[in-house]
């Protein structure tokens, strides 16, 4: 009986102190609607004296993107720099991620699912981040992670709202969107304000030569525009789907 009681106490203690994931639904301003958030707090969060950096992960409607980030942090950090991870679900992801098109044919290419990037960035800035900062012990550093069209969003937001994130991981971003809209935007950006501490980007060959060319053009223009620490990687043996996990680990 004593052994069983001891085991129960150990399990209860572990459950109390272990990392956990909360699910909430958060409403945006005006007619934006609600989005589901997944909020991971690390094992070390039980220490009331500590505050944590926050990682914001797009595409959390696909749980594997969110899980890949918080599990990688746990393994890679060895407990030295645990973080809070916030996954933001986007059921209609391309509407959230893609800015308004400049070319009419882009609407047909995207089946009409585009144009909401400004509203989505407002939701992150005015609803998600204030909620997290109010309800969790955070420090100011904010890290944003986006893949594919999510990477397009991260880079678009970096240009339009350079102070929103301190660190950006752009994983195989779609710079082909709207005939290279972001490539032209960064190239012609004369007033880009450098507020980033670190920028990581990676891409792969599976999506074709134009995908690689536009990725390189964007990165070249960005490196000239800002004096931030920037790391670029090209994974020749990866695909658009497989590059996410290795990108997260390396970043």
């Amino acid at each position: 009986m004593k052994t069983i009681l001891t085991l129960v106490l150990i399990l209860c203690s572990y459950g109390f102190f272990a990392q956990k994931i909360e699910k909430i639904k958060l409403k945006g301003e005006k007619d934006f609607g609600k989005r589901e958030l997944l909020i991971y707090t690390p094992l070390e969060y039980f220490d009331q004296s500590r505050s944590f950096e926050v990682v914001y992960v797009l595409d959390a409607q696909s749980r594997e993107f969110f899980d890949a980030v918080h599990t990688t942090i746990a393994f890679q950090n060895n407990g030295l720099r645990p973080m809070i991870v916030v996954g933001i679900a986007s059921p209609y992801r391309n509407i959230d991620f893609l800015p308004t098109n400049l070319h009419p044919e882009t609407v047909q290419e995207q089946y009409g699912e585009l144009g909401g990037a400004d509203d989505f960035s407002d939701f992150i800035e005015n609803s998600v981040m204030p909620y997290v900062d109010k309800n969790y012990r955070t420090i100011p550093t904010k890290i944003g992670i986006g893949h594919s069209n999510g990477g397009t969003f991260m880079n678009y937001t970096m240009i339009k709202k350079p102070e929103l994130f301190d660190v950006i991981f752009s994983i195989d971003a779609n710079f082909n969107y709207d005939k290279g809209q972001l490539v032209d935007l960064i190239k012609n950006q004369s007033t880009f304000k450098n507020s980033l501490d670190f920028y990581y980007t990676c891409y792969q060959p599976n999506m074709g030569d134009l995908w690689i060319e536009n990725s390189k053009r964007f990165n070249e223009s960005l490196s000239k525009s800002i004096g931030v620490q920037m790391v670029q990687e090209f994974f020749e043996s990866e695909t658009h789907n497989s590059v996410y996990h290795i990108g997260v680990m390396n970043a």
Side-chain angles (χ1 to χ4, degrees):
M1 181 69 180
K2 184 177 180 180
T3 303
I4 294 174
L5 180 59
T6 302
L7 179 60
V8 169
L9 289 174
I10 290 172
L11 291 174
C12 288
S13 297
Y14 179 80
F16 180 75
F17 291 120
Q19 68 253 18
K20 63 179 181 178
I21 296 172
E22 296 180 86
K23 287 185 181 181
I24 69 160
K25 284 193 175 180
L26 191 65
K27 190 178 186 307
E29 298 177 322
K30 299 179 181 178
D31 299 324
F32 182 79
K34 293 182 178 180
R35 295 289 188 279
E36 183 177 82
L37 303 184
L38 300 173
I39 304 175
Y40 162 92
T41 47
L43 176 67
E44 295 81 2
Y45 195 78
F46 78 91
D47 183 350
Q48 298 293 317
S49 68
R50 298 185 64 175
S51 297
F52 301 84
E53 293 170 310
V54 183
V55 184
Y56 291 90
V57 182
L58 303 185
D59 274 322
Q61 74 281 355
S62 299
R63 179 66 183 260
E64 59 269 22
F65 287 94
F66 171 75
D67 288 340
V69 174
H70 73 77
T71 54
T72 298
I73 291 172
F75 277 110
Q76 297 286 83
N77 272 328
N78 295 316
L80 296 178
R81 197 169 179 176
M83 302 177 186
I84 295 170
V85 180
V86 178
I88 308 172
S90 291
Y92 304 100
R93 62 190 301 272
N94 290 349
I95 294 176
D96 283 347
F97 296 162
L98 299 177
T100 302
N101 60 296
L102 302 178
H103 303 279
E105 55 268 37
T106 303
V107 175
Q108 184 174 354
E109 291 171 4
Q110 297 295 330
Y111 306 101
E113 295 187 351
L114 47 77
D118 290 312
D119 290 337
F120 190 55
S121 66
D122 287 344
F123 171 65
I124 293 174
E125 180 181 24
N126 300 323
S127 298
V128 178
M129 288 179 171
Y131 176 87
V132 173
D133 288 338
K134 180 180 178 181
N135 292 279
Y136 297 87
R137 299 190 309 277
T138 66
I139 59 177
T141 303
K142 294 175 171 61
I143 302 166
I145 301 179
H147 169 255
S148 191
N149 285 347
T152 308
F153 172 82
M154 280 294 171
N155 286 288
Y156 175 75
T157 302
M158 175 183 67
I159 298 170
K160 294 295 184 177
K161 295 183 176 182
E163 296 181 351
L164 192 60
F165 294 101
D166 303 284
V167 174
I168 285 179
F169 297 168
S170 170
I171 301 177
D172 212 21
N174 177 11
F175 292 114
N176 285 354
Y177 171 69
D178 197 32
K179 298 184 184 295
Q181 180 188 138
L182 264 67
V183 177
D184 294 335
L185 188 61
I186 191 65
K187 185 177 181 180
N188 299 322
Q189 185 65 247
S190 59
T191 59
F192 185 77
K193 182 181 177 183
N194 175 17
S195 61
L196 289 177
D197 296 324
F198 180 75
Y199 180 90
Y200 173 86
T201 181
C202 66
Y203 52 101
Q204 48 68 49
N206 190 251
M207 302 295 281
D209 292 340
L210 186 60
W211 187 276
I212 297 173
E213 179 185 343
N214 279 330
S215 296
K216 288 180 177 179
R217 288 174 60 202
F218 183 90
N219 294 338
E220 182 179 354
S221 295
L222 180 63
S223 65
K224 291 178 180 178
S225 301
I226 61 177
V228 70
Q229 183 182 1
M230 179 177 176
V231 173
Q232 304 179 55
E233 291 192 292
F234 177 65
F235 296 111
E236 192 168 356
S237 61
E238 301 297 330
T239 67
H240 186 58
N241 291 327
S242 69
V243 75
Y244 183 79
H245 198 229
I246 191 171
V248 170
M249 286 192 295
N250 284 17

